Amino acid sequence: MKQLLIAALLLASLQAVGQHAPLTAQLDQVGLTFALNPNGQPTYTLRYGAKVVVKPSRLGVALADGQGFEGPLEVVGSETKDVDETWQPVWGEVKTIRNHYRQLTVHLRQPAAPRRLLDVVFRVFADGLGFRYEWPRQANLQYFTVTAEHTEFNLPANHKAFWIPGDYDSNEYAYTTSRLSEINTTPIEVIQLKAAPYRVQTPLMLKSDDGLYVNIHEAALVNYPAMMLTVDPKTFGLTSDLVPAVTGAMAYLQAPEHTPWRTIVVSDKAPEVLASKLILNLNEPSQIQDPSWIKPQKFVGVWWEMQVGRASWNYSDSSNIKLAGTDWSRLKPNGRHGATTANVKRYIDFAAQHHIQGVLVEGWNVGWEDWVGNWKEEVFDFVTPYPDFNVDELQHYAASKGVKIIMHHETSGSATNYERRQDAAYRFMDEHGYDAVKTGYVGRIIPRGEHHDGQWMVNHYVHTAQKTAASHIMVDMHEPVRSTGLHRTYPNWLASEAARGNEFNAFSDGNAPEHETILPFTRLMGGPMDYTPGIFKLQGYAASAPKRQVHTTLAKQLALYVTMYSPLQMAADLPENYNQHLDAFQFIEDVPVDWDDTRILAAEPGDYIVTARKAKGKEEWYLGAITDEQARQQTVKLNFLTPGTKYVATIYADAKDADWQKNPAAYQIRQQSVNSRTALKLQLAPGGGAAISFKPVAK
Amino acid sequence: MKQLLIAALLLASLQAVGQHAPLTAQLDQVGLTFALNPNGQPTYTLRYGAKVVVKPSRLGVALADGQGFEGPLEVVGSETKDVDETWQPVWGEVKTIRNHYRQLTVHLRQPAAPRRLLDVVFRVFADGLGFRYEWPRQANLQYFTVTAEHTEFNLPANHKAFWIPGDYDSNEYAYTTSRLSEINTTPIEVIQLKAAPYRVQTPLMLKSDDGLYVNIHEAALVNYPAMMLTVDPKTFGLTSDLVPAVTGAMAYLQAPEHTPWRTIVVSDKAPEVLASKLILNLNEPSQIQDPSWIKPQKFVGVWWEMQVGRASWNYSDSSNIKLAGTDWSRLKPNGRHGATTANVKRYIDFAAQHHIQGVLVEGWNVGWEDWVGNWKEEVFDFVTPYPDFNVDELQHYAASKGVKIIMHHETSGSATNYERRQDAAYRFMDEHGYDAVKTGYVGRIIPRGEHHDGQWMVNHYVHTAQKTAASHIMVDMHEPVRSTGLHRTYPNWLASEAARGNEFNAFSDGNAPEHETILPFTRLMGGPMDYTPGIFKLQGYAASAPKRQVHTTLAKQLALYVTMYSPLQMAADLPENYNQHLDAFQFIEDVPVDWDDTRILAAEPGDYIVTARKAKGKEEWYLGAITDEQARQQTVKLNFLTPGTKYVATIYADAKDADWQKNPAAYQIRQQSVNSRTALKLQLAPGGGAAISFKPVAK
C-alpha cells in the first residue's frame, strides 16, 4: 500500500514543564487539554468548540508488582507535531484517506524509585481524539503485567446512549437506547458470560442534548485485551474495564510496548461520525507488500438453509462423536445435510449465473454432530470432508464455472486446536483451490478460562490474520473480538462478525427495524461486518417457527449493501428464493463491494441512514437508504454525480403499501434519467428502504 | 510391532452379584479383593501371599455436575478373563515381554437417577496390580468433568518411603527417604509450585518392615492429569491427588473414556520391582506401523559446557529481546556462545571418531537472551539460527562424518507457541537432516495457569509424540510429566527427563551418591530417563564454583549406562575431558543402548544396584554396579553368560583408593577371561561403581 506523505510539519518542542502546567493541542473544533490533578495523577479534557466532550478524566495503569502508574506522576517533558498526509487503502469506502492530526506526547515519570517511565500520546483530529499509553524502553520496566487500566471518559451530561452489555465473550446483542443514567444490563438475557450491571461494550455511541454525537471505541487492538466501559449512572463517568485473562491479570507485556488507541469521535453532525477515518488512521499501514491477491467479493452460501432449520451442518444425527477414530462413512446420514456435493453445485451454478465470486460452504467437514457446548478441544480437524462432500469434484466444478468455494473453519472456540492445525488446514486449502476462509469461534474458549475478547484471543485473531496472509488467504472471522481498524494493517482480513447479524432473524425473535441504523454508528466504526444481508423470503422461512419474519422490507435488504460497508457481502438467501425475484436480485448482482468515494447523505443513529457510494474505478454510483420502524420520506440531492453526465437511476423502492410487518416483500423497481441537479424523493416504508444504482448513459 | 497371543483364556462370567459379595482375582502371590463398604462405596484390597499390601481402600470419582461416582454404587455384574501373551518392543531391556494377568471387571451403577455407569477394571499380575476407571458409552454420561478422584492406597504400616514433593510443575527433586509418618515437604525448597505438606509424587517407592517392596505409580497417562498422592502420616493412607487445570477442574472427558491405570508393583525381592514389565504391559501397543527409522542411540552435545557455566546458550548478553522484529545479526556477540559452527564441528569430529551417532546442539536458535522467567509466549521460533551457527554447513559436515545433529526445541514452557510452530519446525528439521529432537519446558506453562502435569499438558506431550512420529522424528522431552510407559505406544518417544538429572551436579549442590540407586525404583519405573551420565571431569568443572564436584566416581559414571536403562544415552562431558581418559571412554563407546535381555542381579533402593544386560542381536553382555555413599563388595555370578562360551571381561572398576569425594577419578581397567561359571568380586568405592563388558572370545 502506498503512503503519500503530503505534509508532516514537525513541531517538536521538548519543553520542561512544571507539574501543573496544562498542555494543550487543538485541531479545528477539537481541543485537548492534559493536566495533572491535585493528586498528581494525569488527566485529560476534550472539547468540541465551546462544548465539553469529556470532562477532566483520569489516566493510569496499574501493574501486578504494585509499582505501576496509577499514582502521582511527574511530567518530564512533552512534544507536539503536526501530520497531514494521505494514503490509499487496499480496498475501502474511499480511494484516498487523509490523515491529519496534531500530536501531543507527554513524558511521565514516577516521582520515586523505580522511577519508571510512561508516555501518553494524544492525536487530535478534526473529528476527534485518539490517545494511548506507551512504555518506552527502560531499565526498570521490561516484562510487566497490567492488572487494571484506569482510563476515564467523564461525560458532562446524561447523554442518550446506544449500548450492549459488556459480555467478555459475545457482542451478539440487540442495542438498547437509553440515557446513561438508565443503563443496566441486568434484565438482558446473557449470551455467554454474565455481564456486570453497568458494563457496556464499545463502540459506544452517544448523543448529547446539545447536539453532539460522540463515539467511544479503540483502534489497533493488538496484544492487549478489549476495553469495555463501566458506567457510573449517577456521574455519567465511564471507566475502562479490560477483559481479563484466566489468571485475573489483564495483559502480559514487554517494553517497549503500548496500549491500543482509545478513540473519541465527535461531531455535531451524525453523518460525520460515519464518515470518520480516525480509527483507520490510527492503525498501522498494511503489512502486505503485494495485495493483488486480495479480492473484495460477494458470495452466496450453503448457510441460510441451516440457519432457518431446513438443513443441517451435521451429516448424521449421532451424538457423542470423537474426532479421532470415528469412521464417518459408517454414520447414518440424517438426510438433511446441507453441504452435499449436489447442493453445493446448485449454489455454484447460481453464483456463476449472477457473477457472484464466492460460494461459502458450511458443514462440509466432519465434527458437527456435537460440536458446541461441551468445552471440547478436538472437535474439528479442518481437512476431513463428510462422505457426501466431494472436495475434488467440487474443486473442478467450481473452477469450470469461474467460482471460488469459500472454506469454513468453525473452531467451536477451541483456538488451541485450530492453531495446531492451521498449517495443515491452509495447505489443504491451497491444494484444493480455496483462497478465502470464514472462521468461527462459537462457544467457550480453549485455552480454558480465556475469553473471546481477552489478550490471548486478541493475539490469536491477529496471528490468524498474519498466518492466512502468509498463505494468500482472505479471512472473515465470526465471533471474534469486535473490529478496531486492523483491516488497514491486514487487508486480507476482509470482515468480521462480532455483532448481532442478520442471522438472528433466522433463529430468534430477530433484529428490530432500527438495528441496521445503529450498527454503522457502533460495531462498524471499527471495520466491516459480515452482516449477511439480502434475505428475500422475509416470512415463512423458518422451519420450526412459521410466524417468524425478518424485520425489514425487501427493498431495505437491498439498501443494506450500501449502508453497511463491507468488502465481503453475502447474498444470504437461497437461490430458489432469489429466483422468485430476479428483478430485485439485479441490484445485488450490480452493487460493488469496493468504492472510490462515499457520501453519508443523511443519518441519525437509531432512525435512518442514507449513503451514496461511487464504484471502484467506474462512473457508477449506488445509494442505500434505510429507516427504522418509522416510515420516512428522504429527499436526496444527487449533487454527488458528475456534473454534465446523464445517468439512468434504477430505483428499488418499497411499494406504496409496503410494511416490514404486514407486507415486506412489496417493492417496485423503476428507472429514471437523472443528473447532478436532480433531487429524488424516496418514500421509505416502516422498516423499509430504498436502493438505487446510477449508471451513466452510454454516449 | 507383533503381538503374539499365546493364550487368552476367556473366563467371562457375567454374575449378578449381591451388593456385598466380594469379588476376587488372584495370580500367583498377588490377590485382589473388590467389595462395597458399609456405605456402598467400592473398595479394593491387595495382598501378596499372606501379607497385606493395600488395606481396604476406597474407589470413586467426583464430577462437576454433582452426580458423580463418589457415593454408593451397586454392582450390576462382573467378568474375569485370563490373558497370557508375549510381545516384542521396538527397543528395550528385553527382546520379548510376557503379559500375563487375570482381569476382573466390575460393572457399577448409581442406585438412583441418572443411574450412570462406571466400570472398574483390575488386572492382577504376578508382580502387582493395575486398575482403572472406565466409563462405558451411556445415554446419561457423555461429556463430563472430573473434579476429584477418590482413589485410596491405604498402607498397613509405617513403611519406609522414597519420595519427592508433589510439585505440579517439576519432578527435579532429590529423594527423601523417610517413614510415611515423617513425610513433610515443607522444609524442601520449592522448584516451581508450592507443594502441599503431605503431597508426594509417583512413582512412590515403599519398603515394609516385613520385607515387601511396593511401588505405586500409573500407566498410560493420556488425556488425564498426573496422579500425585496425599499422605496421611497418621494412618499411612494415601489418596490420589490430581493435578488441576487452570479452571480448578481435573479432567474434561467424553465417554467412552477411562483413567490411566493405577499401578502397584509388589515383590519380596527388590530386583523384581526393577524387572517388572507391569507398567509397559498396561500401555497400548505401538501405533507406529513401520518403526525402522527409530534408532536407539548415544549422543554427545554442546550442552555440559553451558551447564557448568563455561559457555552460554545465548549469543549476546542483550536482554529484553522481542522475537519479532529483532535483527539478530546486529546484536553484540558475548564471545561465550556455545553453539558456534566451529564448536559444533569439534563435537561432530569427536562423535565420528568414537561411533557416537548424535550431536545435540543447544542454543543454536535465536531467543535465548531472556528466555525464561517472564511467562512470555513468543520466545523461540525454532527455525532461526544465531548468526554464528551455519545450518547448511553443519548439515553437510555432519553428513560427511556419518553423524546426525540432534535438534533442540526449548519452549520455555510456552506450549501454545510451540504447537503453532511445530509444523514449520519439523519441516525445517526434515529439510536440514535432523531426525531427532530434544524438547524442553522450563518455566511456567502457557496456556497460562496450566501445569506441566495437568491434563492439557499431558495431551500436549502425547500430541508431540504423535506429531513427531508422523514426521519420523525421535523425541526426548525435558521437563514433561514423568513417564508412564507410553514409549511402548510411541516408541519414537525415546526418553524424557522429568526427574533430577546429572545436570544438577553442574549447577547446584548436586545429587547425593544414593540418587542413582533410587531413580530406577522411582522415576525409571515409568520409562527411560535422559539422565546424561558420563561425566569424567568430576571436580573443578564449574566455572563459578571451583569446589563443586560430582558425587560419584568415574567408574560409577560408566556403570550408569547399564544401571539406568535408556535407548538414548548421552556422553555428557566435553570432548577434551574424554580425551584425557580414552581408555575409560571405550566403555561408553562400546555399551549398547538396546538389549535382548536384562538381569537385575542385586538391588536395594537407596543402597546399590547390579544389572547385567545382553546386547541386542549380539553375544555380548554388559554389567553395571553402583553403590551409594557406602563402599561395598559385590560378588557377581556370571551364570547369565552362555554356558560353554568364553568371554573377555573388560572391567572398569574404582581404583583401590577411589572415593567419590576425595579421589573420584581413580579407576582401573583390567581384562579377565570368564565364563558362565565365573564369579567376580567387585569392590565398589564410596559413591563408586563398576562397569564391565563381556565379549566372546573369537573362536
Side-chain angles (χ1 to χ4, degrees):
Chain A
M1 191 183 300
K2 278 189 207 168
Q3 252 197 316
L4 256 111
L5 190 67
I6 292 184
L9 187 56
L10 206 69
L11 294 179
S13 60
L14 194 70
Q15 309 160 303
V17 296
Q19 295 245 3
H20 294 277
L23 299 163
T24 60
Q26 178 96 19
L27 191 64
D28 294 353
Q29 305 260 26
V30 180
L32 175 276
T33 304
F34 172 91
L36 298 178
N37 69 17
N39 297 325
Q41 295 164 322
T43 70
Y44 75 101
T45 307
L46 189 67
R47 286 184 182 76
Y48 185 82
K51 294 176 182 170
V52 172
V53 181
V54 178
K55 295 195 298 180
S57 295
R58 195 181 149 199
L59 300 165
V61 179
L63 304 189
D65 65 4
Q67 300 185 319
F69 303 90
E70 67 273 53
L73 297 170
E74 52 189 31
V75 176
V76 294
S78 69
E79 295 141 32
T80 59
K81 69 169 179 178
D82 287 348
V83 171
D84 193 353
E85 63 187 9
T86 61
W87 58 279
Q88 297 186 312
V90 173
W91 43 258
E93 299 178 83
V94 294
K95 188 177 184 176
T96 301
I97 293 173
R98 181 182 182 192
N99 180 28
H100 181 204
Y101 62 85
R102 168 162 274 221
Q103 177 168 302
L104 167 66
T105 301
V106 185
H107 302 291
L108 299 165
R109 188 176 61 195
Q110 295 169 341
R115 294 181 89 77
R116 287 168 168 171
L117 307 175
L118 173 70
D119 293 346
V120 182
V121 180
F122 299 92
R123 289 187 181 170
V124 180
F125 297 81
D127 58 356
L129 172 69
F131 65 92
R132 70 182 186 188
Y133 301 93
E134 297 188 357
W135 290 276
R137 184 176 288 276
Q138 53 192 296
N140 293 322
L141 188 69
Q142 297 192 353
Y143 294 92
F144 59 105
T145 303
V146 172
T147 53
E149 182 182 319
H150 299 295
T151 303
E152 295 176 349
F153 305 83
N154 292 324
L155 302 173
N158 192 10
H159 297 343
K160 183 160 83 169
F162 300 83
W163 57 269
I164 58 174
D167 187 325
Y168 293 154
D169 288 281
S170 179
N171 327 73
E172 301 188 7
Y173 288 90
Y175 288 90
T176 302
T177 306
S178 81
R179 294 280 172 177
L180 286 167
S181 61
E182 293 159 350
I183 287 178
N184 185 350
T185 73
T186 310
I188 296 171
E189 192 186 346
V190 165
I191 292 180
Q192 192 126 1
L193 186 88
K194 185 65 191 164
Y198 304 119
R199 187 169 66 225
V200 299
Q201 301 201 38
T202 73
L204 178 66
M205 187 65 208
L206 301 158
K207 184 181 181 185
S208 73
D209 288 344
D210 58 356
L212 280 191
Y213 296 87
V214 178
N215 184 281
I216 300 178
H217 189 38
E218 64 182 314
L221 172 58
V222 175
N223 197 28
Y224 204 77
M227 178 181 73
M228 302 197 173
L229 296 170
T230 295
V231 182
D232 184 329
K234 296 203 174 69
T235 66
F236 323 130
L238 313 178
T239 309
S240 60
D241 186 338
L242 303 179
V243 177
V246 61
T247 57
M250 298 301 159
Y252 295 87
L253 300 180
Q254 178 184 3
E257 187 52 284
H258 53 75
T259 66
W261 296 95
R262 280 67 189 91
T263 61
I264 305 167
V265 174
V266 57
S267 177
D268 51 9
K269 298 177 194 68
E272 289 194 357
V273 173
L274 297 186
S276 174
K277 297 293 173 284
L278 185 149
I279 288 173
L280 265 187
N281 276 324
L282 289 169
N283 275 270
E284 296 298 312
S286 174
Q287 290 193 4
I288 297 175
Q289 297 299 315
D290 172 11
S292 59
W293 51 273
I294 298 173
K295 301 189 187 308
Q297 62 188 277
K298 288 171 281 187
F299 66 104
V300 294
V302 180
W303 180 76
W304 186 254
E305 55 188 291
M306 284 90 91
Q307 296 290 350
V308 299
R310 297 187 183 277
S312 68
W313 283 270
N314 43 305
Y315 166 79
S316 82
D317 287 341
S318 299
S319 69
N320 199 21
I321 300 281
K322 294 189 183 190
L323 180 62
T326 295
D327 181 351
W328 303 89
S329 70
R330 297 191 59 179
L331 295 184
K332 186 182 163 205
N334 63 13
R336 296 179 295 109
H337 185 217
T340 66
T341 304
N343 196 34
V344 173
K345 284 185 178 177
R346 279 204 316 131
Y347 284 82
I348 292 172
D349 290 343
F350 181 83
Q353 283 159 22
H354 296 284
H355 308 98
I356 303 288
Q357 293 89 336
V359 175
L360 169 71
V361 185
E362 296 201 358
W364 71 278
N365 60 324
V366 299
W368 288 92
E369 274 65 20
D370 47 359
W371 64 286
V372 76
N374 303 308
W375 224 3
K376 178 181 177 181
E377 187 155 12
E378 306 247 319
V379 175
F380 297 107
D381 71 4
F382 313 104
V383 296
T384 306
Y386 276 126
D388 56 355
F389 181 88
N390 190 320
V391 176
D392 292 328
E393 184 179 341
L394 285 168
Q395 177 180 5
H396 296 128
Y397 191 79
S400 75
K401 300 276 183 171
V403 168
K404 285 275 191 185
I405 305 180
I406 296 176
M407 174 51 70
H408 185 232
H409 289 164
E410 174 57 51
T411 69
S412 69
S414 180
T416 47
N417 181 53
Y418 189 38
E419 288 200 353
R420 70 171 72 104
R421 296 175 187 272
Q422 276 177 318
D423 274 298
Y426 300 153
R427 201 158 51 239
F428 180 92
M429 285 178 63
D430 179 57
E431 289 166 0
H432 294 93
Y434 296 81
D435 67 357
V437 61
K438 173 180 171 180
T439 61
Y441 297 91
V442 175
R444 282 189 288 178
I445 294 297
I446 302 179
R448 292 193 180 89
E450 299 291 354
H451 292 295
H452 283 72
D453 293 357
Q455 183 192 23
W456 199 90
M457 284 302 292
V458 162
N459 286 344
H460 169 80
Y461 308 128
V462 172
H463 163 79
T464 296
Q466 293 170 329
K467 206 164 175 63
T468 48
S471 297
H472 286 199
I473 291 171
M474 294 168 276
V475 63
D476 168 24
M477 299 191 199
H478 279 233
E479 303 89 24
V481 70
R482 72 285 187 278
S483 304
T484 59
L486 285 169
H487 53 292
R488 177 179 178 188
T489 312
Y490 306 106
N492 66 311
W493 189 350
L494 295 181
S496 292
E497 186 185 43
R500 189 176 174 97
N502 214 4
E503 67 184 23
F504 273 77
N505 288 310
F507 55 69
S508 79
D509 288 343
N511 300 333
E514 69 171 9
H515 188 60
E516 296 94 345
T517 71
I518 300 173
L519 278 173
F521 285 97
T522 51
R523 163 66 182 80
L524 270 61
M525 291 298 292
M529 176 180 174
D530 183 16
Y531 186 71
T532 70
I535 301 305
F536 277 17
K537 187 171 173 59
L538 297 156
Q539 296 173 308
Y541 51 84
S544 63
K547 292 193 174 170
R548 184 170 296 163
Q549 65 181 102
V550 178
H551 297 197
T552 76
T553 65
L554 192 148
K556 182 174 176 181
Q557 288 288 319
L558 298 180
L560 296 176
Y561 288 86
V562 182
T563 59
M564 302 191 75
Y565 169 67
S566 176
L568 186 73
Q569 290 279 26
M570 188 172 198
D573 210 339
L574 313 180
E576 53 266 43
N577 296 336
Y578 287 137
N579 284 334
Q580 302 297 313
H581 304 281
L582 285 177
D583 55 350
F585 191 78
Q586 189 62 47
F587 184 80
I588 298 179
E589 190 168 337
D590 288 349
V591 68
V593 284
D594 197 10
W595 309 96
D596 273 344
D597 202 0
T598 286
R599 309 287 170 88
I600 312 296
L601 304 177
E604 180 66 25
D607 293 344
Y608 58 85
I609 294 175
V610 182
T611 302
R613 304 188 196 266
K614 179 175 175 296
K616 190 87 172 177
K618 280 190 189 172
E619 193 49 55
E620 293 178 4
W621 285 78
Y622 291 80
L623 183 146
I626 61 170
T627 180
D628 59 0
E629 69 286 354
Q630 303 290 332
R632 284 178 212 275
Q633 194 182 64
Q634 291 283 357
T635 300
V636 180
K637 292 180 184 169
L638 305 186
N639 53 12
F640 50 84
L641 296 175
T642 305
T645 300
K646 276 190 182 173
Y647 298 80
V648 174
T650 306
I651 302 169
Y652 304 75
D654 293 322
K656 209 168 180 183
D657 55 348
D659 179 291
W660 73 267
Q661 199 158 15
K662 296 174 198 150
N663 194 16
Y667 62 91
Q668 55 185 9
I669 303 174
R670 60 191 162 93
Q671 290 197 319
Q672 183 177 336
S673 180
V674 299
N675 60 34
S676 64
R677 297 185 307 274
T678 310
L680 289 179
K681 279 193 184 165
L682 301 175
Q683 191 63 42
L684 312 181
I692 310 176
S693 64
F694 300 94
K695 300 187 185 183
V697 176
K699 286 170 188 173
Chain B
M1 188 185 304
K2 277 191 204 167
Q3 252 198 316
L4 257 111
L5 190 69
I6 293 184
L9 187 57
L10 207 69
L11 293 178
S13 60
L14 194 70
Q15 309 161 304
V17 295
Q19 295 247 4
H20 293 278
L23 299 163
T24 60
Q26 179 96 19
L27 190 64
D28 293 357
Q29 304 262 26
V30 180
L32 174 278
T33 304
F34 173 91
L36 297 179
N37 69 17
N39 297 325
Q41 295 162 322
T43 70
Y44 76 101
T45 307
L46 189 68
R47 285 183 183 77
Y48 185 82
K51 294 176 183 171
V52 172
V53 180
V54 178
K55 296 195 298 180
S57 294
R58 195 181 147 197
L59 301 166
V61 180
L63 304 189
D65 66 3
Q67 301 186 319
F69 303 91
E70 67 274 52
L73 297 170
E74 53 188 31
V75 176
V76 294
S78 70
E79 294 141 33
T80 60
K81 70 170 178 176
D82 286 349
V83 171
D84 193 350
E85 61 187 9
T86 61
W87 58 278
Q88 295 185 315
V90 172
W91 42 259
E93 298 178 85
V94 295
K95 187 177 184 177
T96 301
I97 292 174
R98 182 182 181 189
N99 180 28
H100 180 204
Y101 62 85
R102 166 161 275 221
Q103 177 168 303
L104 166 66
T105 301
V106 184
H107 302 291
L108 299 165
R109 187 175 62 193
Q110 294 169 341
R115 294 181 90 77
R116 287 168 167 173
L117 307 175
L118 172 69
D119 292 346
V120 182
V121 180
F122 298 93
R123 289 188 182 170
V124 180
F125 297 81
D127 57 356
L129 172 70
F131 64 92
R132 71 181 184 187
Y133 302 92
E134 297 187 356
W135 290 277
R137 184 177 287 277
Q138 54 192 296
N140 294 322
L141 188 70
Q142 296 191 354
Y143 294 91
F144 59 104
T145 303
V146 172
T147 52
E149 182 183 318
H150 299 295
T151 302
E152 295 176 350
F153 305 83
N154 292 323
L155 302 173
N158 193 10
H159 297 342
K160 182 160 82 168
F162 301 83
W163 57 270
I164 59 174
D167 186 326
Y168 294 155
D169 287 281
S170 179
N171 327 74
E172 301 188 7
Y173 287 90
Y175 288 90
T176 303
T177 306
S178 80
R179 293 282 172 175
L180 287 167
S181 61
E182 294 158 349
I183 286 178
N184 186 350
T185 72
T186 311
I188 296 171
E189 191 185 347
V190 165
I191 291 180
Q192 193 127 359
L193 187 89
K194 185 65 191 162
Y198 305 119
R199 187 169 66 225
V200 299
Q201 301 201 39
T202 74
L204 178 65
M205 188 65 210
L206 301 158
K207 184 181 179 184
S208 73
D209 288 344
D210 60 355
L212 279 191
Y213 296 87
V214 178
N215 184 283
I216 299 178
H217 190 35
E218 63 182 316
L221 173 58
V222 175
N223 197 28
Y224 204 76
M227 178 182 73
M228 302 197 173
L229 296 169
T230 295
V231 181
D232 185 329
K234 296 202 174 69
T235 67
F236 322 129
L238 314 179
T239 309
S240 59
D241 186 339
L242 303 180
V243 176
V246 62
T247 58
M250 298 300 159
Y252 295 87
L253 301 179
Q254 177 185 3
E257 188 52 282
H258 53 75
T259 66
W261 296 96
R262 282 67 188 90
T263 61
I264 305 166
V265 174
V266 55
S267 177
D268 52 9
K269 296 178 193 69
E272 290 194 356
V273 173
L274 297 186
S276 175
K277 296 294 172 283
L278 184 149
I279 288 172
L280 265 187
N281 276 325
L282 288 169
N283 274 271
E284 296 299 312
S286 173
Q287 290 193 4
I288 298 175
Q289 296 300 314
D290 172 11
S292 59
W293 51 274
I294 300 172
K295 300 191 188 306
Q297 62 189 276
K298 288 170 281 187
F299 66 105
V300 293
V302 180
W303 180 76
W304 186 254
E305 54 188 293
M306 283 90 91
Q307 296 290 350
V308 298
R310 298 187 182 277
S312 68
W313 283 271
N314 42 305
Y315 165 79
S316 83
D317 288 341
S318 300
S319 68
N320 199 23
I321 300 280
K322 294 190 183 189
L323 180 62
T326 295
D327 180 352
W328 303 90
S329 70
R330 299 190 57 177
L331 295 185
K332 187 182 161 206
N334 63 13
R336 296 180 294 111
H337 186 218
T340 66
T341 304
N343 196 33
V344 172
K345 284 185 178 175
R346 280 204 314 131
Y347 283 83
I348 291 172
D349 290 344
F350 182 84
Q353 282 160 21
H354 296 285
H355 308 99
I356 303 288
Q357 293 89 337
V359 175
L360 170 71
V361 185
E362 296 201 357
W364 71 277
N365 60 324
V366 299
W368 289 92
E369 274 66 19
D370 48 358
W371 65 285
V372 77
N374 304 308
W375 223 4
K376 179 182 176 181
E377 186 156 11
E378 306 247 319
V379 176
F380 297 106
D381 70 4
F382 313 105
V383 296
T384 307
Y386 275 125
D388 57 355
F389 182 88
N390 190 320
V391 175
D392 292 328
E393 183 179 341
L394 285 168
Q395 176 180 5
H396 297 128
Y397 191 80
S400 76
K401 299 277 184 171
V403 168
K404 286 275 191 184
I405 305 181
I406 296 176
M407 173 53 69
H408 185 231
H409 290 163
E410 174 57 50
T411 68
S412 69
S414 180
T416 47
N417 181 53
Y418 189 39
E419 288 200 353
R420 69 172 74 104
R421 296 175 187 272
Q422 276 177 319
D423 274 298
Y426 299 153
R427 201 157 50 238
F428 180 92
M429 285 179 62
D430 180 56
E431 289 165 1
H432 295 94
Y434 295 80
D435 66 356
V437 60
K438 173 181 171 180
T439 62
Y441 298 90
V442 175
R444 282 189 288 177
I445 293 298
I446 304 180
R448 292 193 180 89
E450 298 290 354
H451 292 295
H452 284 73
D453 294 356
Q455 183 191 23
W456 200 89
M457 284 302 293
V458 162
N459 285 345
H460 169 81
Y461 308 126
V462 172
H463 162 78
T464 297
Q466 292 170 330
K467 204 161 176 65
T468 48
S471 297
H472 286 198
I473 291 171
M474 294 168 275
V475 63
D476 167 23
M477 299 190 199
H478 279 233
E479 303 89 23
V481 70
R482 72 287 187 278
S483 304
T484 58
L486 285 169
H487 52 293
R488 177 180 178 186
T489 311
Y490 306 107
N492 67 310
W493 190 349
L494 294 181
S496 292
E497 186 184 42
R500 190 176 173 96
N502 214 5
E503 66 184 22
F504 274 76
N505 288 310
F507 56 68
S508 79
D509 288 344
N511 301 331
E514 68 172 8
H515 188 60
E516 296 94 346
T517 70
I518 300 174
L519 278 174
F521 284 97
T522 51
R523 163 67 182 79
L524 271 62
M525 290 297 292
M529 176 181 175
D530 182 17
Y531 186 71
T532 70
I535 301 306
F536 277 16
K537 186 170 173 60
L538 297 156
Q539 296 172 310
Y541 50 83
S544 63
K547 292 193 173 171
R548 186 169 294 162
Q549 65 180 102
V550 177
H551 298 196
T552 75
T553 65
L554 192 151
K556 183 174 174 180
Q557 288 288 319
L558 298 180
L560 295 176
Y561 288 86
V562 183
T563 59
M564 302 191 76
Y565 169 68
S566 176
L568 186 73
Q569 291 278 28
M570 187 172 201
D573 211 337
L574 312 179
E576 53 266 42
N577 295 336
Y578 287 138
N579 284 334
Q580 303 296 315
H581 303 281
L582 284 177
D583 56 349
F585 191 78
Q586 189 62 46
F587 183 81
I588 297 178
E589 191 169 335
D590 289 349
V591 68
V593 284
D594 196 10
W595 309 96
D596 273 344
D597 203 0
T598 285
R599 308 287 170 87
I600 313 295
L601 304 177
E604 180 66 24
D607 294 343
Y608 57 85
I609 295 175
V610 183
T611 302
R613 305 189 196 266
K614 181 175 173 296
K616 191 85 170 178
K618 281 190 190 169
E619 191 52 53
E620 291 179 5
W621 284 78
Y622 291 81
L623 182 145
I626 62 171
T627 180
D628 60 1
E629 70 286 353
Q630 304 291 332
R632 286 175 210 277
Q633 194 181 66
Q634 291 283 358
T635 301
V636 180
K637 292 181 184 170
L638 304 187
N639 52 14
F640 50 84
L641 297 175
T642 304
T645 300
K646 275 191 182 173
Y647 298 80
V648 175
T650 306
I651 302 169
Y652 304 76
D654 293 323
K656 209 169 182 182
D657 54 350
D659 178 290
W660 74 266
Q661 201 158 14
K662 295 172 199 155
N663 193 16
Y667 61 89
Q668 56 184 8
I669 302 174
R670 61 191 161 92
Q671 291 199 319
Q672 183 176 338
S673 179
V674 299
N675 62 34
S676 65
R677 296 186 308 273
T678 309
L680 288 179
K681 277 191 184 164
L682 302 175
Q683 191 65 40
L684 311 181
I692 310 175
S693 65
F694 300 94
K695 300 186 185 184
V697 176
K699 285 170 191 174

